Amino acid sequence: ITTGATGIGTPINLPAGVNATWAPDMISISGTPTVAGVFNYSIPLTGGCGVINATGTIIVTTDNTVSAASSTPTLCINTVLTTINHTTTGATGIGTATDLPAGVTATWSGGTIFIDGTPTETGTFNYTIPLTGGCGVVNAIGIITVNPNNTVTAASSTPTLCLNGSVSITHDTTGATGIGAPTNLPAGVTATWIGNQITISGTPTAVGVFNYSIPLTGGCGAINAVGTITVNPDNTVSAPSSTPTVCVNMPLSITHTTTGATGIGAPINLPAGVTATWNAGQITISGTPTVVGIFNYDVPLTGGC
């Protein structure tokens, strides 16, 4: 409010965007400052008597600022997050963060936001953290990607097969990018990985019970595909215990020892009166031949390989 003056001269040191007007006995200073700083202004009165200035101070504070995230991490679930930083200016704190993974929190100290913790859920998290205090509506934003642990299914089969037979087993995986060196696969059998599937195939050339393990590589967690392959040997049969020459109507007894087989089929070319039986891995050929001749017999093993 003025007395005596009839107007004002050119203002000095008003912030850009702010001006001064004069109406009878009143100076009005108004506008929207577009620069920050401390402005000690001076406005000379004109007319009337004396040299007098209207003076005052306008303080214009900049809007808050926040830097980009120091990192945009991709990590495994239940793995400690390397701290993410955002540097701020103007703000005096932060509000409630949204869309941080469970187990991860944001704190503010000395103008810096710190995001750390151990995520306990998976997904892609586009987080937002509002700055408080200072000027303007500003948020710290970033992305945290949390991957799940690898998985692998049970074997598609647990085969029992014969030596030099063929085997094909699959395991489906998630997360992994490949496999490491298998352990305890039978000789002649290999494992390959493509398109999230392990394929175990080949022709085993060794016998035994093979409890194999195939480590997944890449992705998260230490996981192995496991299963069992049983490879049985080929059946065996010994030479006859004797190659008898007997008189007609005289008894005979011959044995063969077997492995692998579970029985015998119908004998071929035994003399009438003579039969073959199987018990506990042994073939017994016995009886009293009632015909004469040379009999080249054949007794097929059944079961086994």
Side-chain angles (χ1 to χ4, degrees):
I1 296 173
T2 70
T3 62
T6 58
I8 57 174
T10 302
I12 299 170
N13 206 34
L14 284 177
V18 175
N19 54 53
T21 59
W22 188 87
D25 299 326
M26 180 177 287
I27 301 170
S28 296
I29 301 169
S30 61
T32 302
T34 58
V35 291
V38 177
F39 298 90
N40 295 300
Y41 64 84
S42 178
I43 305 170
L45 274 62
T46 61
C49 298
V51 178
I52 299 178
N53 294 282
T55 60
T57 301
I58 299 172
I59 299 173
V60 183
T61 303
T62 57
D63 283 340
N64 295 342
T65 67
V66 62
S67 68
S70 58
S71 64
T72 305
T74 296
L75 70 161
C76 297
I77 190 171
N78 297 317
T79 299
V80 175
L81 174 69
T82 298
T83 301
I84 303 169
N85 298 321
H86 293 267
T87 302
T88 73
T89 64
T92 58
I94 56 173
T96 302
T98 57
D99 205 30
L100 285 177
V104 175
T105 58
T107 58
W108 186 90
S109 178
T112 300
I113 302 171
F114 300 94
I115 301 169
D116 47 27
T118 301
T120 58
E121 62 177 331
T122 63
T124 300
F125 299 89
N126 295 290
Y127 63 82
T128 299
I129 305 168
L131 275 60
T132 59
C135 295
V137 178
V138 180
N139 296 283
I141 59 173
I143 300 173
I144 300 171
T145 303
V146 184
N147 289 328
N149 285 329
N150 297 341
T151 67
V152 61
T153 62
S156 59
S157 63
T158 304
T160 296
L161 68 156
C162 297
L163 186 69
N164 296 313
S166 62
V167 62
S168 182
I169 305 167
T170 59
H171 293 266
D172 293 321
T173 71
T174 65
T177 57
I179 56 173
T183 56
N184 208 36
L185 284 176
V189 175
T190 59
T192 58
W193 185 91
I194 189 171
N196 295 318
Q197 187 171 78
I198 301 170
T199 300
I200 300 168
S201 60
T203 301
T205 59
V207 300
V209 177
F210 298 90
N211 296 300
Y212 63 82
S213 180
I214 304 169
L216 275 61
T217 59
C220 297
I223 298 180
N224 295 281
V226 296
T228 301
I229 300 170
T230 303
V231 183
N232 289 326
D234 286 338
N235 296 341
T236 67
V237 61
S238 68
S241 57
S242 63
T243 307
T245 297
V246 293
C247 296
V248 71
N249 295 317
M250 289 186 64
L252 62 82
S253 180
I254 306 167
T255 60
H256 294 266
T257 301
T258 73
T259 64
T262 58
I264 57 173
I268 299 169
N269 206 35
L270 284 176
V274 176
T275 59
T277 59
W278 186 89
N279 183 50
Q282 182 168 282
I283 301 169
T284 301
I285 300 170
S286 59
T288 302
T290 59
V291 291
V292 299
I294 297 173
F295 298 89
N296 294 300
Y297 64 85
D298 190 324
V299 182
L301 276 60
T302 60
C305 294

